[in-house]
């Protein structure tokens, strides 16, 4: 199969061009010095870096909120609170709320505890161990004392679960 190269070439007349295309070709871009171009490039680059930093900070904050034990991510709830604040201001005016200061929940996993928390927990366990050893019921029959304690504890937990 042979194609004639003359059929592939097409030329446009100046008369056949549209007015819009003729006008756009005439416009000239403003001439900027090399220093100004470099400034613009640097500004665009810094904006891009800042955008990446902000995105990374948001991801880290979300991951940190998700890693919080028990409660998880409370950010959507916090965003919804300003809408609810109007409702609560009227109820606060009627009665004075009791101020309860809750201590931050301590982690239950030993690996997540701070050294001071670990030390306190170990001291409590040692004190509890010494009390158990000094108990006369335990001295008389250790296995019976432990099994009785476990039975009471299981009944207590079963009662709380219901």
């Amino acid at each position: 199969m042979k194609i004639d190269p003359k059929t592939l070439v097409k030329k446009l007349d100046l008369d056949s061009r549209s007015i819009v295309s003729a006008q756009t070709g005439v416009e000239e871009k403003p001439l900027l010095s090399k220093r100004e171009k470099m400034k613009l490039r640097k500004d665009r680059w810094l904006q891009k870096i800042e955008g990446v930093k902000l995105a990374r900070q948001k991801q880290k904050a979300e991951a940190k909120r998700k890693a919080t034990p028990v409660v998880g991510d409370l950010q959507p709830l916090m965003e919804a609170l300003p809408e609810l604040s109007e409702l609560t201001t009227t109820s606060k005016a009627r009665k004075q709320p009791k101020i309860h200061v809750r201590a931050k929940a301590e982690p239950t996993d030993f690996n997540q505890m701070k050294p001071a928390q670990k030390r306190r927990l170990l001291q409590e366990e040692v004190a509890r161990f010494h009390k158990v050893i000094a108990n006369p019921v335990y001295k008389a029959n250790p296995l019976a004392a432990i099994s009785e304690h476990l039975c009471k504890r299981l009944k207590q937990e079963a009662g709380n679960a219901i």
Side-chain angles (χ1 to χ4, degrees), residues 11-137:
K11 294 184 180 179
L12 294 176
D13 296 339
L14 289 177
D15 296 335
S16 64
R17 292 173 67 188
S18 68
I19 297 172
V20 175
S21 63
Q23 288 178 351
T24 56
V26 174
E27 290 180 14
E28 293 183 16
K29 294 182 181 177
L31 295 176
L32 298 175
S33 67
K34 187 173 183 177
R35 179 173 282 157
E36 290 172 345
K37 289 180 188 178
M38 288 172 60
K39 269 187 182 180
L40 290 174
R41 281 181 59 196
K42 183 179 178 183
D43 290 341
R44 282 195 305 256
W45 178 247
L46 291 175
Q47 287 174 354
K48 191 174 187 179
I49 290 174
E50 190 66 30
V52 170
K53 281 183 182 179
L54 288 175
R56 185 172 287 149
Q57 285 176 350
K58 286 181 182 180
Q59 286 177 344
K60 282 185 180 180
E62 186 175 344
K64 186 176 179 182
R65 288 191 307 269
K66 284 184 179 181
T68 304
V70 181
V71 290
D73 189 6
L74 291 178
Q75 188 64 29
L77 180 62
M78 289 179 65
E79 291 172 357
L81 280 178
E83 299 167 4
L84 298 174
S85 63
E86 297 171 358
L87 299 173
T88 58
T89 54
T90 57
S91 65
K92 285 183 181 179
R94 283 185 249 144
K95 60 180 181 179
Q96 293 295 328
K98 295 180 182 178
I99 299 174
H100 294 288
V101 178
R102 289 188 177 184
K104 190 175 181 181
E106 292 186 13
T108 56
D109 186 12
F110 193 75
N111 294 329
Q112 292 179 347
M113 289 182 176
K114 295 180 180 174
Q117 293 172 329
K118 289 179 183 179
R119 193 176 325 112
R120 190 177 335 117
L121 179 68
L122 290 174
Q123 288 173 349
E124 291 171 1
E125 291 295 325
V126 167
R128 187 176 299 131
F129 182 72
H130 286 298
K131 280 184 183 178
V132 168
I133 291 176
N135 191 341
V137 176

